[in-house]
Amino acid sequence: MDTNRLSQTITAALNRQMTNEAHNAQIYLAYAAWADSEGYEGIANFLFRHANEERNHMMKFLEYILKRGGKVKVSPIPDPGPDPTDVNDCFERIFKSEVDNTANIYNLVNMSMEEKDWATWNFMQWFVKEQTEEETLALDLLSKIKVAGGKNAGPDALYALDNDLAKTADDARLAQDVSVENP
Ligand code: FEO
C-alpha cells in the first residue's frame, strides 16, 4: 500500500525548497562571520540568529515531507558566494535573497494549487506569511543603512548601527519563539 501522500513533482519541489532554506542559512552564516571579522559584532549577532531561523525553515520542510510519507533527499548546499563588500552590500544582498526566496515559496503554492494538494497548500501558507515578515525585516535593515549613509556610511554611523542591531536583536522577528522543535 502506498502511504506517500505527496506527488513526485511536489516531493521534488519540497526537497528543493528544503535545500534553498539550508542555502539561506549558509548565506546568513557567511555574512555573520564576515560582519564579525569586520568588527560589527551587533550585526553579526543579528545575522547568526537569523541563520538559525533559516535552519528551522529547512527542518520544517524536512518534517513535512516525512509527515506526508514522502522521501527526503538531503542534497549538497550551494556555496553562499563571496563576502559582502560593505554593510550596504550585505543588506542589499540579504534583501535580494529574501525576494528570491519568496518567488520560490510562491512557486510551491502555485504547484500545490494546480495539483489540488490542499494539505501542502495549507502548509505553505505559514511560509507565505513568514516571507512577508522576512522581507519587512530585510527592508528594515536597508532603511537603517540608508539612514546611516548607504554605501558612503561613515565609521560613526556604522558604529551606531552596529550598536542598534546588538541591542534590538532580542526584539527582532528572528528572536521569536521559533526553534528546531517548534519551527
Ligand atoms: Fe527562510 Fe529568509 O526565508
Side-chain angles (χ1 to χ4, degrees), residues 132-162:
T132 310
E133 291 173 10
E134 301 259 290
E135 286 187 7
T136 302
L137 184 69
L139 267 175
D140 189 43
L141 290 177
L142 275 180
S143 301
K144 284 180 194 294
I145 189 66
K146 197 171 157 198
V147 168
K151 273 204 150 326
N152 303 317
D156 288 352
L158 286 172
Y159 180 76
L161 172 60
D162 189 52

Side-chain angles (χ1 to χ4, degrees), residues 21 24 50 54 57 98 101 131 134:
E21 299 291 349
N24 294 341
H50 204 91
E54 296 296 352
H57 294 169
E98 290 300 344
N101 200 48
Q131 279 311 118
E134 301 259 290

Side-chain angles (χ1 to χ4, degrees), residues 74-95:
V74 174
S75 303
I77 305 169
D79 193 300
D83 283 345
T85 51
D86 51 40
V87 176
N88 188 73
D89 182 46
C90 176
F91 291 176
E92 280 184 358
R93 286 204 221 168
I94 284 172
F95 180 68

Side-chain angles (χ1 to χ4, degrees), residues 5 23 28 60 79 86 90 101 105 116 130 171 173:
R5 302 290 291 127
H23 184 220
Y28 278 99
K60 203 170 167 74
D79 193 300
D86 51 40
C90 176
N101 200 48
I105 296 291
K116 296 188 169 47
E130 179 72 3
D171 300 322
R173 168 67 189 85

Side-chain angles (χ1 to χ4, degrees), residues 24-37 47-48 51 80-84:
N24 294 341
Q26 296 295 82
I27 289 173
Y28 278 99
L29 201 60
Y31 292 5
W34 167 82
D36 191 270
S37 67
L47 298 176
F48 275 128
D83 283 345

